[in-house]
Amino acid sequence: MSSVIAKSTWVAVYKQLQKEASKIPQYNYRVFFQRRIRDHFERNIQVTEVSKQHELYKEALRNLEVLKRQAVFCQLYPHKKTVVEEKLQQ
């Protein structure tokens, strides 16, 4: 039987997801992804069933790959800055 996934592993995946989300240049998408990552981890923090933890871990890794591709895709095509982005740069 598989063992429980260590807390340090979860923290590492969380940080990787947040790091990739921060690479997205569009403010609205970046904040949306950061919020969804945080919400997902907060919602599933109490999961103790080993099989469910492994399922969530695999899902997190798949989402990390998707987020990496999305970050690259967003950087390929320039966008017009929103009012919020312009205010943040000042």
Side-chain angles (χ1 to χ4, degrees):
M1 180 125 205
S2 298
S3 62
V4 176
I5 297 174
K7 184 178 180 178
S8 61
T9 305
W10 287 113
V11 171
V13 169
Y14 179 81
K15 286 182 178 181
Q16 287 177 326
L17 284 164
Q18 289 291 359
K19 183 178 178 182
E20 287 302 320
S22 69
K23 292 180 181 178
I24 295 178
Q26 292 91 345
Y27 175 80
N28 290 332
Y29 292 120
R30 182 175 58 245
V31 172
F32 170 77
F33 287 128
Q34 291 170 337
R35 186 176 58 244
R36 291 287 296 175
I37 292 164
R38 185 187 64 241
D39 291 347
H40 181 75
F41 273 80
E42 287 175 354
R43 184 175 57 245
N44 294 306
I45 198 167
Q46 298 299 326
V47 174
T48 57
E49 187 180 333
V50 176
S51 61
K52 182 68 173 165
Q53 280 189 355
H54 283 280
E55 184 180 313
L56 290 169
Y57 184 71
K58 287 179 185 177
E59 181 183 348
L61 292 179
R62 281 193 306 269
N63 288 337
L64 178 60
E65 293 303 315
V66 169
L67 198 53
K68 285 180 180 180
R69 286 192 304 269
Q70 187 64 36
V72 170
F73 181 78
C74 288
Q75 291 172 354
L76 288 176
Y77 299 98
H79 71 287
K80 182 179 176 189
K81 294 195 182 287
T82 63
V83 174
V84 173
E85 290 174 311
E86 290 175 3
K87 295 281 184 191
L88 288 175
Q89 287 183 342
Q90 293 177 354

